[in-house]
Amino acid sequence: MAVLSSLKRWWQRTFGGRSGHDPEATDEFATLSSLTLDPGRLRLKVGVVSVRGNYREHNEDNYFVPGRRPVRHDVLNESGDHSTMTMESSNLFIVADGMGGQQGGEQASLMAVELIPREVAKRLAPDQCEPRHVQEAIREAVAHVNQEILGSSGAITEFSNMGTTVVLAQFRPDKVYVAGIGDSRAYRLRDGVLERLTKDHSLADALLDAGTITAEELPNHKFKNVLYLYLGSKDARGGPEDFRVMDVRSGDRFLMASDGLTGVVADVELGRVLGGVDDPQEAALVLKNLALANDSKDNVTCLIVHVVAQQ
């Protein structure tokens, strides 16, 4: 496989120089490229935060925002400045939550956010908007990366049994395509109504779907955090099973997050913050603080996209 020959060198180059502390590093992307949407033009404003959290020694989450290489969130941005960037034409956003121990989890989620955008770009022209083609490109790209993670897991002892969730949103000029594998989630707030866009692929959710347990039993079920589908599993070889394909309009607000946030902050609170905080970076920080205050025991990653009218 393409990544295996240089995998160990890449790992050392990416992580070998990390500092030993883990500050609450954040990134802000305030000015992004325009999307054309009748009757006018739209911009995307993005805020993102990813932290180790209250209990974990390392951050196994990663995210992708166009125009910027994925960065390790436990490396301090010494300048303390937030970044402003121009978005590339892919308009693809990703959150990934790694599993399989420190090295394995970090590696799997980093592979997801580095390789999926590359593979999508190979298959999807910037002006391609036909829904079937967009979905096929994303599904094939994610399936390819799943095979890369499986191959790496089997080839390198330190990465054995590694895996990662992934949730992504691909914006095109007229629509957004949302898909997920695992239990990282995506939401949309429109006209004050919060809608969950992805399904959790946990054993507890499968039991709920089968009618074996009730919705009231789900949040505290012993299998709530046991995933049957994730990147790095043979069952994910076909890529995402389900897509949400939706129109995009000014005022829409999208949230993508790892379960370190959504597992401890209720949907009603997510909607309240998304609707009540007009700056996406500030909203991401508020939600992160809520997760930590609610005693989240996992890494916390929160990526928020606001769709705004071109001024």
Side-chain angles (χ1 to χ4, degrees), residues 13-310:
R13 183 172 65 251
T14 306
F15 299 114
R18 293 188 305 169
S19 59
H21 61 288
D22 188 356
E24 296 183 355
T26 65
D27 294 292
E28 181 177 15
F29 307 93
T31 305
L32 303 179
S33 67
S34 298
L35 287 171
T36 301
L37 181 66
D38 192 21
R41 297 183 66 83
L42 298 177
R43 288 187 304 133
L44 303 180
K45 292 182 64 178
V46 182
V48 57
V49 60
S50 184
V51 298
R52 180 186 60 184
N54 293 321
Y55 296 96
R56 297 295 181 92
E57 294 184 359
H58 303 276
N59 192 350
E60 297 180 40
D61 290 358
N62 263 289
Y63 63 82
F64 176 81
V65 170
R68 181 183 178 92
R69 281 183 55 83
V71 296
R72 297 308 303 156
H73 314 304
D74 49 5
V75 178
L76 180 64
N77 176 358
E78 295 181 357
S79 71
D81 294 332
H82 291 146
S83 299
T84 301
M85 39 75 75
T86 300
M87 215 166 83
E88 58 192 34
S89 59
S90 67
N91 294 337
L92 174 65
F93 300 86
I94 303 173
V95 167
D97 179 358
M99 305 172 292
Q102 176 199 346
Q103 286 195 336
E106 289 175 332
Q107 175 67 14
S109 66
L110 187 58
M111 289 178 71
V113 301
E114 284 206 331
L115 298 181
I116 290 174
R118 191 181 310 166
E119 295 301 322
V120 170
K122 290 179 182 178
R123 295 167 171 81
L124 190 61
D127 59 350
Q128 177 58 262
C129 296
E130 206 284 319
R132 179 175 60 86
H133 292 154
V134 176
Q135 292 177 70
E136 285 179 356
I138 294 171
R139 186 175 285 114
E140 290 175 3
V142 174
H144 175 85
V145 175
N146 184 67
Q147 288 303 115
E148 295 286 2
I149 292 174
L150 276 170
S152 302
S153 178
I156 299 177
T157 302
E158 297 96 312
F159 303 152
S160 61
N161 299 317
M162 70 178 180
T164 184
T165 71
V166 65
V167 61
L168 61 86
Q170 171 73 73
F171 289 85
R172 306 305 284 177
D174 57 343
K175 291 180 174 63
V176 60
Y177 298 76
V178 177
I181 293 179
D183 60 359
S184 294
R185 295 180 183 174
Y187 295 81
R188 181 186 68 179
L189 184 76
R190 171 178 282 185
D191 297 332
V193 177
L194 184 71
E195 181 182 5
R196 184 169 148 191
L197 305 177
T198 53
K199 174 183 176 181
D200 288 355
H201 297 116
S202 75
L203 292 182
D205 284 89
L207 291 174
L208 177 65
D209 291 343
T212 306
I213 65 173
T214 66
E216 290 72 23
E217 294 175 291
L218 179 66
N220 298 312
H221 196 276
K222 62 181 179 180
F223 294 147
K224 185 67 181 77
N225 297 313
V226 180
L227 301 182
Y228 65 86
L229 190 65
Y230 54 89
L231 286 193
S233 66
K234 293 181 180 179
D235 290 335
R237 59 184 175 272
E241 296 177 339
D242 302 308
F243 281 86
R244 290 295 304 273
V245 183
M246 297 162 290
D247 67 308
V248 181
R249 73 186 194 202
S250 180
D252 286 348
R253 296 181 176 184
F254 293 87
L255 165 67
M256 293 185 289
S258 62
D259 69 333
L261 172 66
T262 59
V264 298
V265 178
D267 284 5
V268 64
E269 285 296 297
L270 298 177
R272 180 184 66 81
V273 174
L274 282 178
V277 182
D278 290 333
D279 177 75
Q281 182 65 25
E282 181 182 350
L285 291 169
V286 170
L287 287 177
K288 179 265 296 181
N289 289 335
L290 276 175
L292 298 184
N294 287 354
D295 202 31
S296 176
K297 293 178 170 56
D298 207 344
N299 310 138
V300 179
T301 298
C302 175
L303 195 162
I304 296 175
V305 180
H306 287 188
V307 182
V308 297
Q310 187 79 281

